[in-house]
Amino acid sequence: MKPDTEGYMSDWTLDEFHIPEVADKDRFHDFALPLPLMQGIAALGYEYCTPIQSKTLPYALSDYDVTGQAQTGTGKTAAFLIAVLTRFWETPLQDSATKGHPRALILAPTRELALQIEGDAKGLSKYMGQRTVCVVGGMDFNKQLEKLDKKPVDLLVATPGRLIDFLERNKISLSKVEVLVIDEADRMLDMGFIPDVRRIVYQTPHKRRRQTLFFSATFNDSVMRLADSWTIDPEHVVIEPDSVATDTVDQRFWMIGQDQKEATLLNLCENPALERAIIFANRRDQTHRLVKFLQGKNITCEGLAGDVPQRKRLATLNRFKDGDLRILVATDVAGRGIHVDGISHVINYSLPEEAEDYVHRIGRTGRAGATGIAISFVSEDDAFNLPAIEEYIGEQVSCTVPDLNPS
Ligand code: AMP
């Protein structure tokens, strides 16, 4: 065991995180990140930087402000968290920290997003000793207060309303904030949170004395104005959203009775033309049921849903990536994190309830210039989701009878 800064003790070395160099991709190794952070990244199963990470990290790690145009699913959370955690590791506090005085404030519009960011922060900082606390509405105030009172906090993740409650009761002070992250600024605007956010931002140190990382899926005039007033000479990075209904995906819609879906799915899975496929289900229980059904018919497959333990999810994903697993059954939430090339087929066992999810699903295939096939089962139970999908992708689709040769 060798001690490192801040008492990090580990036998772990970068030899255990061997990622070959490839053209057009950055590795986390290329950014000279702290070793315990690399260990966290390795444990999460990340291999190469996503485009937003490649574009953001060189600036964010050099203390520049960044405005980033990127949607959820691009890896933007890790992009800003890696910058924050590196900064804190490299410049530990000289004085002992004071309770309720976070060094980084991350503002997000919704509880779900804030909790997700908290989870990612805890995962990445697992071997670093940085402490993350999340304060969000709709959950017990006193429990959140207890967490703040227990020990100093390094990263505070918050939704605006609940943070204002804490500020008004003098339970949190933003005077020591070194990094301010504003996530999904356009949604904050749509949800009417900007007056709250403005009050919060004014309680942090002046923008010349903090680093500001500002993210939004879209940048219209109003969002630009906010970005201008809260950042100084930011580097603006843009990640194009998944193009709507990519040209490289052959989309097929099969009209099929609800009671025929399982048999049709089985038929598809038995066909070797289905080289590597993701089957999407709308709910976790449906995912588990399909896995059981297919396994019972001797089809090797695994499920990926939110209630599967993280460790198992990663192992499953790695087997799928490595080509050791041909078929994955997933929910939308689990499916968003899947960035695997070479998926030949996406099968929508049920049409998603949100049209946007349809595009996210079919975007798993036809990546990197390859062509892919998306087959959607349309039955009496989910056909009513079709008009919204047609509107979203901007084209009318025609439903056909199943063609059992899916190539
Ligand atoms: P986000 O856009 O931040 O919501 O991230 C989407 C998903 O991608 C999350 O599940 C992350 O854990 C995952 N992720 C982030 N960075 C990487 C990476 N470099 N490699 C693989 N997965 C990643």
Side-chain angles (χ1 to χ4, degrees):
M1 297 269 252
K2 54 181 185 335
D4 205 327
T5 17
E6 298 206 344
Y8 169 62
M9 304 273 284
S10 173
D11 281 337
W12 193 86
T13 67
L14 279 183
D15 292 343
E16 291 172 58
F17 187 24
H18 180 68
I19 303 293
E21 283 185 48
V22 292
D24 303 333
K25 278 189 186 169
D26 288 313
R27 301 172 312 158
F28 293 98
H29 306 59
D30 305 329
F31 290 103
L33 303 176
L35 192 61
L37 176 55
M38 290 297 282
Q39 189 176 359
I41 291 171
L44 287 173
Y46 302 173
E47 294 178 344
Y48 297 93
C49 295
T50 65
I52 184 92
Q53 291 160 2
S54 290
K55 287 191 179 179
T56 306
L57 284 174
Y59 298 96
L61 287 171
S62 307
D63 298 346
Y64 285 99
D65 284 359
V66 175
T67 50
Q69 180 174 342
Q71 294 180 314
T72 297
T74 51
K76 67 181 157 66
T77 314
F80 63 69
L81 288 173
I82 287 171
V84 168
L85 292 167
T86 302
R87 178 192 183 109
F88 293 173
W89 183 261
E90 287 174 351
T91 53
L93 277 186
Q94 296 305 314
D95 311 323
S96 53
T98 328
K99 283 179 194 164
H101 286 68
R103 298 183 73 187
L105 170 64
I106 299 156
L107 279 179
T110 63
R111 179 174 59 180
E112 288 70 28
L113 184 61
L115 291 172
Q116 218 169 298
I117 296 169
E118 180 197 21
D120 287 353
K122 288 186 168 163
L124 287 166
S125 66
K126 188 166 174 198
Y127 305 96
M128 301 184 82
Q130 312 281 358
R131 185 158 181 266
T132 303
V133 173
C134 185
V135 299
V136 292
M139 292 171 85
D140 193 331
F141 184 94
N142 288 325
K143 276 205 184 123
Q144 295 173 358
L145 182 58
E146 260 168 45
K147 284 191 191 155
L148 285 167
D149 274 347
K150 203 163 137 201
K151 274 197 282 181
V153 46
D154 297 290
L155 287 79
L156 180 72
V157 188
T159 49
R162 179 55 65 95
L163 177 56
I164 286 198
D165 282 354
F166 274 96
L167 293 171
E168 282 176 348
R169 297 191 206 187
N170 291 323
K171 298 296 181 195
I172 290 177
S173 158
L174 302 180
S175 61
K176 299 257 167 63
V177 166
E178 297 166 43
V179 190
L180 169 67
V181 180
I182 296 179
D183 201 7
E184 303 211 343
D186 50 351
R187 269 176 91 189
M188 302 251 203
L189 202 74
D190 291 345
M191 294 166 82
F193 289 163
I194 294 303
D196 282 352
V197 176
R198 195 168 278 131
R199 278 177 65 194
I200 292 167
V201 173
Y202 284 139
Q203 296 199 26
T204 66
H206 186 268
K207 59 182 172 179
R208 290 195 185 283
R209 284 183 287 115
R210 64 162 200 253
Q211 181 183 21
T212 308
L213 307 172
F214 180 104
F215 292 88
S216 187
T218 51
F219 270 79
N220 56 25
D221 287 349
S222 320
V223 175
M224 277 308 282
R225 265 198 299 279
L226 295 178
D228 278 348
S229 62
W230 292 334
T231 60
I232 291 189
D233 291 338
E235 176 67 21
H236 187 61
V237 303
V238 179
I239 301 301
E240 296 298 337
D242 277 356
S243 54
V244 171
T246 64
D247 296 340
T248 51
V249 182
D250 174 2
Q251 302 173 64
R252 303 174 188 180
F253 294 85
W254 289 357
M255 196 46 109
I256 187 172
Q258 188 65 25
D259 56 349
Q260 287 302 306
K261 279 189 175 180
E262 281 190 351
T264 309
L265 182 69
L266 178 59
N267 225 308
L268 272 174
C269 292
E270 283 170 340
N271 194 322
L274 209 78
E275 286 164 30
R276 195 188 288 179
I278 305 188
I279 300 165
F280 278 102
N282 283 7
R283 291 189 322 272
R284 291 169 181 181
D285 57 336
Q286 196 175 46
T287 306
H288 301 312
R289 201 167 44 73
L290 286 177
V291 169
K292 228 170 162 181
F293 165 73
L294 291 172
Q295 286 176 343
K297 303 285 181 189
N298 292 323
I299 301 285
T300 308
C301 65
E302 298 280 346
L304 213 65
D307 53 350
V308 176
Q310 172 80 352
R311 185 185 285 264
K312 177 145 195 267
R313 265 192 273 170
L314 281 175
T316 300
L317 205 50
N318 282 337
R319 289 184 56 223
F320 188 61
K321 273 187 196 163
D322 295 344
D324 298 334
L325 180 69
R326 190 171 67 103
I327 296 174
L328 196 63
V329 186
T331 58
D332 288 293
V333 175
R336 289 209 178 179
I338 302 174
H339 302 278
V340 179
D341 290 334
I343 294 175
S344 62
H345 291 75
V346 165
I347 297 169
N348 291 317
Y349 188 79
S350 304
L351 283 180
E353 280 153 22
E354 300 290 336
E356 204 183 327
D357 284 332
Y358 173 77
V359 174
H360 281 295
R361 288 181 180 187
I362 68 165
R364 303 301 101 206
T365 181
R367 295 170 80 84
T371 48
I373 296 173
I375 298 172
S376 300
F377 291 0
V378 185
S379 77
E380 61 278 16
D381 284 357
D382 51 13
F384 53 84
N385 292 328
L386 203 51
I389 291 174
E390 288 179 314
E391 192 181 337
Y392 192 78
I393 63 175
E395 58 186 271
Q396 284 231 297
V397 306
S398 50
C399 292
T400 60
V401 291
D403 162 11
L404 292 179
N405 183 12
S407 49

mmCIF file of all heavy atoms in Angstrom, residues 28 45-50 53 71-78 116 120 321 336-337 339, ligand 1:
data_model
loop_
_atom_site.group_PDB
_atom_site.id
_atom_site.type_symbol
_atom_site.label_atom_id
_atom_site.label_comp_id
_atom_site.label_asym_id
_atom_site.label_seq_id
_atom_site.Cartn_x
_atom_site.Cartn_y
_atom_site.Cartn_z
ATOM 1 N N PHE A 28 -9.228 8.871 -20.716
ATOM 2 C CA PHE A 28 -9.113 9.680 -19.498
ATOM 3 C C PHE A 28 -7.647 9.802 -19.101
ATOM 4 O O PHE A 28 -7.234 10.770 -18.495
ATOM 5 C CB PHE A 28 -9.971 9.082 -18.382
ATOM 6 C CG PHE A 28 -11.444 9.184 -18.693
ATOM 7 C CD1 PHE A 28 -12.140 8.111 -19.225
ATOM 8 C CD2 PHE A 28 -12.118 10.380 -18.510
ATOM 9 C CE1 PHE A 28 -13.486 8.229 -19.553
ATOM 10 C CE2 PHE A 28 -13.460 10.504 -18.831
ATOM 11 C CZ PHE A 28 -14.146 9.420 -19.354
ATOM 12 N N GLY A 45 -16.644 1.688 -15.285
ATOM 13 C CA GLY A 45 -16.633 1.012 -16.590
ATOM 14 C C GLY A 45 -16.475 1.967 -17.763
ATOM 15 O O GLY A 45 -16.662 1.570 -18.908
ATOM 16 N N TYR A 46 -16.143 3.234 -17.512
ATOM 17 C CA TYR A 46 -15.913 4.145 -18.634
ATOM 18 C C TYR A 46 -14.566 3.797 -19.263
ATOM 19 O O TYR A 46 -13.616 3.491 -18.554
ATOM 20 C CB TYR A 46 -15.844 5.607 -18.189
ATOM 21 C CG TYR A 46 -17.048 6.157 -17.478
ATOM 22 C CD1 TYR A 46 -17.000 7.432 -16.913
ATOM 23 C CD2 TYR A 46 -18.231 5.437 -17.358
ATOM 24 C CE1 TYR A 46 -18.094 7.969 -16.255
ATOM 25 C CE2 TYR A 46 -19.325 5.969 -16.704
ATOM 26 C CZ TYR A 46 -19.251 7.235 -16.153
ATOM 27 O OH TYR A 46 -20.317 7.768 -15.494
ATOM 28 N N GLU A 47 -14.488 3.894 -20.576
ATOM 29 C CA GLU A 47 -13.219 3.598 -21.241
ATOM 30 C C GLU A 47 -12.668 4.834 -21.942
ATOM 31 O O GLU A 47 -11.596 5.314 -21.637
ATOM 32 C CB GLU A 47 -13.412 2.454 -22.231
ATOM 33 C CG GLU A 47 -13.754 1.150 -21.509
ATOM 34 C CD GLU A 47 -13.988 0.016 -22.450
ATOM 35 O OE1 GLU A 47 -14.186 0.250 -23.662
ATOM 36 O OE2 GLU A 47 -13.984 -1.135 -21.982
ATOM 37 N N TYR A 48 -13.448 5.354 -22.869
ATOM 38 C CA TYR A 48 -13.009 6.540 -23.616
ATOM 39 C C TYR A 48 -13.910 7.719 -23.252
ATOM 40 O O TYR A 48 -15.058 7.530 -22.837
ATOM 41 C CB TYR A 48 -13.080 6.277 -25.121
ATOM 42 C CG TYR A 48 -12.143 5.180 -25.556
ATOM 43 C CD1 TYR A 48 -12.572 3.853 -25.646
ATOM 44 C CD2 TYR A 48 -10.813 5.464 -25.834
ATOM 45 C CE1 TYR A 48 -11.699 2.837 -26.005
ATOM 46 C CE2 TYR A 48 -9.932 4.456 -26.200
ATOM 47 C CZ TYR A 48 -10.386 3.148 -26.288
ATOM 48 O OH TYR A 48 -9.513 2.152 -26.638
ATOM 49 N N CYS A 49 -13.374 8.933 -23.445
ATOM 50 C CA CYS A 49 -14.173 10.123 -23.185
ATOM 51 C C CYS A 49 -15.285 10.214 -24.223
ATOM 52 O O CYS A 49 -15.078 9.891 -25.389
ATOM 53 C CB CYS A 49 -13.320 11.376 -23.312
ATOM 54 S SG CYS A 49 -12.026 11.483 -22.088
ATOM 55 N N THR A 50 -16.432 10.672 -23.810
ATOM 56 C CA THR A 50 -17.476 10.977 -24.793
ATOM 57 C C THR A 50 -17.105 12.326 -25.418
ATOM 58 O O THR A 50 -16.270 13.058 -24.859
ATOM 59 C CB THR A 50 -18.862 11.071 -24.121
ATOM 60 O OG1 THR A 50 -18.850 12.184 -23.220
ATOM 61 C CG2 THR A 50 -19.201 9.804 -23.347
ATOM 62 N N GLN A 53 -17.022 15.281 -23.146
ATOM 63 C CA GLN A 53 -15.905 15.215 -22.184
ATOM 64 C C GLN A 53 -14.600 15.636 -22.870
ATOM 65 O O GLN A 53 -13.826 16.408 -22.311
ATOM 66 C CB GLN A 53 -15.806 13.797 -21.602
ATOM 67 C CG GLN A 53 -16.993 13.484 -20.690
ATOM 68 C CD GLN A 53 -17.242 12.010 -20.459
ATOM 69 O OE1 GLN A 53 -16.506 11.148 -20.942
ATOM 70 N NE2 GLN A 53 -18.299 11.698 -19.731
ATOM 71 N N GLN A 71 -27.199 17.426 -24.577
ATOM 72 C CA GLN A 71 -28.375 16.822 -23.957
ATOM 73 C C GLN A 71 -27.977 15.781 -22.920
ATOM 74 O O GLN A 71 -26.828 15.361 -22.880
ATOM 75 C CB GLN A 71 -29.199 16.122 -25.032
ATOM 76 C CG GLN A 71 -29.791 17.076 -26.020
ATOM 77 C CD GLN A 71 -30.592 16.342 -27.066
ATOM 78 O OE1 GLN A 71 -30.129 15.337 -27.594
ATOM 79 N NE2 GLN A 71 -31.774 16.834 -27.357
ATOM 80 N N THR A 72 -28.962 15.357 -22.162
ATOM 81 C CA THR A 72 -28.746 14.246 -21.255
ATOM 82 C C THR A 72 -28.389 13.018 -22.092
ATOM 83 O O THR A 72 -28.917 12.851 -23.184
ATOM 84 C CB THR A 72 -30.046 13.990 -20.460
ATOM 85 O OG1 THR A 72 -30.277 15.164 -19.709
ATOM 86 C CG2 THR A 72 -29.928 12.808 -19.532
ATOM 87 N N GLY A 73 -27.500 12.201 -21.579
ATOM 88 C CA GLY A 73 -27.116 11.006 -22.331
ATOM 89 C C GLY A 73 -25.788 11.179 -23.042
ATOM 90 O O GLY A 73 -25.239 10.230 -23.580
ATOM 91 N N THR A 74 -25.249 12.397 -23.019
ATOM 92 C CA THR A 74 -23.984 12.647 -23.723
ATOM 93 C C THR A 74 -22.773 12.475 -22.802
ATOM 94 O O THR A 74 -21.638 12.510 -23.259
ATOM 95 C CB THR A 74 -23.956 14.093 -24.267
ATOM 96 O OG1 THR A 74 -24.286 14.976 -23.190
ATOM 97 C CG2 THR A 74 -24.953 14.281 -25.385
ATOM 98 N N GLY A 75 -23.027 12.335 -21.499
ATOM 99 C CA GLY A 75 -21.918 12.215 -20.547
ATOM 100 C C GLY A 75 -21.495 13.568 -19.980
ATOM 101 O O GLY A 75 -20.403 13.711 -19.446
ATOM 102 N N LYS A 76 -22.386 14.544 -20.031
ATOM 103 C CA LYS A 76 -21.994 15.886 -19.566
ATOM 104 C C LYS A 76 -21.801 15.911 -18.053
ATOM 105 O O LYS A 76 -20.976 16.676 -17.550
ATOM 106 C CB LYS A 76 -22.993 16.942 -20.031
ATOM 107 C CG LYS A 76 -24.370 16.835 -19.420
ATOM 108 C CD LYS A 76 -25.266 17.926 -19.994
ATOM 109 C CE LYS A 76 -26.735 17.589 -19.889
ATOM 110 N NZ LYS A 76 -27.306 17.502 -18.575
ATOM 111 N N THR A 77 -22.544 15.086 -17.329
ATOM 112 C CA THR A 77 -22.405 15.087 -15.874
ATOM 113 C C THR A 77 -20.976 14.726 -15.478
ATOM 114 O O THR A 77 -20.343 15.421 -14.676
ATOM 115 C CB THR A 77 -23.381 14.056 -15.242
ATOM 116 O OG1 THR A 77 -24.651 14.231 -15.856
ATOM 117 C CG2 THR A 77 -23.488 14.239 -13.763
ATOM 118 N N ALA A 78 -20.480 13.637 -16.050
ATOM 119 C CA ALA A 78 -19.100 13.237 -15.715
ATOM 120 C C ALA A 78 -18.122 14.312 -16.169
ATOM 121 O O ALA A 78 -17.107 14.551 -15.512
ATOM 122 C CB ALA A 78 -18.770 11.891 -16.359
ATOM 123 N N GLN A 116 -29.471 11.876 -9.742
ATOM 124 C CA GLN A 116 -28.582 11.189 -10.691
ATOM 125 C C GLN A 116 -27.161 11.783 -10.622
ATOM 126 O O GLN A 116 -26.181 11.056 -10.629
ATOM 127 C CB GLN A 116 -29.135 11.410 -12.081
ATOM 128 C CG GLN A 116 -29.018 10.232 -12.994
ATOM 129 C CD GLN A 116 -29.852 10.522 -14.244
ATOM 130 O OE1 GLN A 116 -31.067 10.701 -14.167
ATOM 131 N NE2 GLN A 116 -29.200 10.604 -15.376
ATOM 132 N N ASP A 120 -23.660 9.939 -9.591
ATOM 133 C CA ASP A 120 -22.450 9.958 -10.423
ATOM 134 C C ASP A 120 -21.273 10.531 -9.629
ATOM 135 O O ASP A 120 -20.147 10.032 -9.718
ATOM 136 C CB ASP A 120 -22.668 10.810 -11.692
ATOM 137 C CG ASP A 120 -23.566 10.107 -12.713
ATOM 138 O OD1 ASP A 120 -23.895 8.931 -12.490
ATOM 139 O OD2 ASP A 120 -23.952 10.730 -13.718
ATOM 140 N N LYS A 321 -20.813 -5.426 -24.855
ATOM 141 C CA LYS A 321 -19.833 -4.654 -25.635
ATOM 142 C C LYS A 321 -18.794 -5.562 -26.265
ATOM 143 O O LYS A 321 -18.388 -5.380 -27.398
ATOM 144 C CB LYS A 321 -19.086 -3.689 -24.705
ATOM 145 C CG LYS A 321 -19.765 -2.380 -24.518
ATOM 146 C CD LYS A 321 -18.849 -1.456 -23.737
ATOM 147 C CE LYS A 321 -19.637 -0.298 -23.196
ATOM 148 N NZ LYS A 321 -18.952 0.411 -22.126
ATOM 149 N N ARG A 336 -30.277 4.320 -22.164
ATOM 150 C CA ARG A 336 -29.627 5.585 -22.552
ATOM 151 C C ARG A 336 -28.128 5.577 -22.348
ATOM 152 O O ARG A 336 -27.406 6.270 -23.036
ATOM 153 C CB ARG A 336 -30.206 6.726 -21.743
ATOM 154 C CG ARG A 336 -31.593 7.017 -22.177
ATOM 155 C CD ARG A 336 -31.942 8.443 -21.971
ATOM 156 N NE ARG A 336 -33.287 8.633 -22.467
ATOM 157 C CZ ARG A 336 -33.922 9.770 -22.435
ATOM 158 N NH1 ARG A 336 -33.344 10.818 -21.913
ATOM 159 N NH2 ARG A 336 -35.127 9.854 -22.920
ATOM 160 N N GLY A 337 -27.693 4.816 -21.345
ATOM 161 C CA GLY A 337 -26.259 4.799 -21.071
ATOM 162 C C GLY A 337 -25.482 3.853 -21.977
ATOM 163 O O GLY A 337 -24.296 3.679 -21.809
ATOM 164 N N HIS A 339 -23.564 2.908 -24.984
ATOM 165 C CA HIS A 339 -22.891 3.486 -26.140
ATOM 166 C C HIS A 339 -22.047 2.380 -26.751
ATOM 167 O O HIS A 339 -20.879 2.241 -26.458
ATOM 168 C CB HIS A 339 -22.030 4.666 -25.714
ATOM 169 C CG HIS A 339 -22.830 5.719 -25.019
ATOM 170 N ND1 HIS A 339 -23.559 6.659 -25.701
ATOM 171 C CD2 HIS A 339 -23.064 5.950 -23.719
ATOM 172 C CE1 HIS A 339 -24.191 7.426 -24.839
ATOM 173 N NE2 HIS A 339 -23.906 7.020 -23.639
HETATM 174 P P1 AMP B 1 -25.264 11.989 -18.748
HETATM 175 O O1 AMP B 1 -25.342 12.615 -20.110
HETATM 176 O O2 AMP B 1 -24.327 12.711 -17.868
HETATM 177 O O3 AMP B 1 -26.625 11.793 -18.155
HETATM 178 O O4 AMP B 1 -24.609 10.527 -18.916
HETATM 179 C C1 AMP B 1 -25.243 9.476 -19.599
HETATM 180 C C2 AMP B 1 -24.703 8.117 -19.184
HETATM 181 O O5 AMP B 1 -23.429 7.890 -19.733
HETATM 182 C C3 AMP B 1 -24.562 7.902 -17.692
HETATM 183 O O6 AMP B 1 -25.138 6.650 -17.401
HETATM 184 C C4 AMP B 1 -23.072 7.877 -17.447
HETATM 185 O O7 AMP B 1 -22.737 7.029 -16.367
HETATM 186 C C5 AMP B 1 -22.555 7.343 -18.756
HETATM 187 N N1 AMP B 1 -21.199 7.837 -19.094
HETATM 188 C C6 AMP B 1 -20.682 9.054 -18.868
HETATM 189 N N2 AMP B 1 -19.438 9.139 -19.362
HETATM 190 C C7 AMP B 1 -19.161 7.959 -19.926
HETATM 191 C C8 AMP B 1 -18.026 7.416 -20.635
HETATM 192 N N3 AMP B 1 -16.942 8.156 -20.861
HETATM 193 N N4 AMP B 1 -18.103 6.156 -21.063
HETATM 194 C C9 AMP B 1 -19.207 5.424 -20.859
HETATM 195 N N5 AMP B 1 -20.320 5.848 -20.221
HETATM 196 C C10 AMP B 1 -20.295 7.114 -19.768
#
